[in-house]
Structure formats: structure tokens, C-alpha cells
Amino acid sequence: LTYRINNHLHIKFTSFYSTYRRTGSDPLSAKENGIDPYAAEPWVQSLFSGLSLHTELFRKKVKTITGIKEFIFNASQTMAQGQSGKIKAAGNYTGFWQVIQYQIKPSLMANFSYEYTYRLPDPNELFGDVVITSPNTALKPENSHNANIGLQLRKEKNRMEYFFAVNGFNRNIKDIIFLGFPVHGAHYNNIFNSRSYGVEADGSMIY
């Protein structure tokens, strides 16, 4: 959904809802052990919503995007047949981002972006797959700081089109969800943090 305020300013709204439910049965296990693990029904609902402000300034030489996004999830699972109770998990998390582009010359553009975001646990990470992994509803979502800065050069000369881009990046991720040892009864945990940074370059020449 987009609403244009004027020729230099508009607002965008995005929303995405998803739901997941797993059903099944294992009559043999229920007969031998008195518990049917597949009778447990995990149910996960998630909602992502984002609102962003887009601007064009100084004769469109400077473009910016400022945004905020909301992550909401609600999960529950009834216990397997032969057991009682219910396990639940829920959360509400806010991220944001900023993008700035500056057209230095018609052929040269600089850009900068920063984002603070989340990755919600997926249903298998929360509730396991019944066969190998078991539930862990204490999981926290991964969160990350991501920054990029770069230059792009695009030029045409003598029927040739030249393109070159260089970009520096920095990624800092916390509470990474990881399955350490895939053995029976294992479950996913928030194990460690990671940081990566570097420089990327890309170029092309088209005749």
C-alpha cells in the first residue's frame, strides 16, 4: 500500500501474515509406548508489518528510505497423546532501517544502508520434527545489525556500457539458532554470536 504526499515524499505500508499447523499420527508408537508423538499439533502464527517513508531531495540527487518493522509471533503445541498440558511461546519485536543514496554525478552514485532486524524461529526449531529434535519454546529470535556503504559507476562510451560497483559490509548477528548434535532428543538453542565484514566488488562491460 502506497500513499503519495507530494512529488518528493511518499509512504509505503507492507504486511504479511502466515500460519503453520502440523498434524499426523503414529498408531504403532501409541500401541507400544502409550504415547503418539505425532498427535501433538504445533501451531505457529506470525505477522510482519513494515512502514517506510521515501523522500527525494535536492532535485532527486538524494534519496532516502526510513522504515520501521514489527515482528509478531504466537506459537502453541498440545502435548502428545498420552500426555497432558500445552507448551506456548510468543513474542513481539521491532526493527528499523535507513537507506541513503546520493547521485554525485549522472554516472556515479554513493549509497549507505543500515538495518536492525530479527529472524523468528521456524516451527521445526521451536517444536522439533518429532523424529530427531525435541521442542524448545525458550528460543529467542536471532537479531542482527547490518551496515553497507558503497559506490556505483555506470557509463556509456563508444557504444560500450561500463559498470563497476564496490561495497563494504558489516554484519553482527546475536543469538544464532543452532542444532549442535543431531541425535535423538536434541533441540535447537541460541548458541553464539557472529560478526562478518568485508568488501565486495562487481563489474561488467557490455557492447
Side-chain angles (χ1 to χ4, degrees), residues 1-14 50-55:
L1 181 64
T2 300
Y3 176 69
R4 183 167 292 278
I5 300 172
N6 55 45
N7 290 335
H8 308 288
L9 188 66
H10 65 273
I11 296 172
K12 283 187 177 181
F13 175 75
T14 303
L51 182 66
S52 58
L53 176 67
H54 301 244
T55 66

Side-chain angles (χ1 to χ4, degrees), residues 81 91 93 113 116 120 164 199:
Q81 183 180 339
Y93 306 92
S113 66
Y116 179 63
L120 300 178
F164 176 75
V199 177

Side-chain angles (χ1 to χ4, degrees), residues 84-104:
S84 61
K86 179 180 284 191
I87 52 178
K88 298 181 179 180
N92 190 339
Y93 306 92
T94 302
F96 55 89
W97 76 96
Q98 178 68 59
V99 177
I100 301 173
Q101 294 180 337
Y102 175 43
Q103 198 75 44
I104 302 169

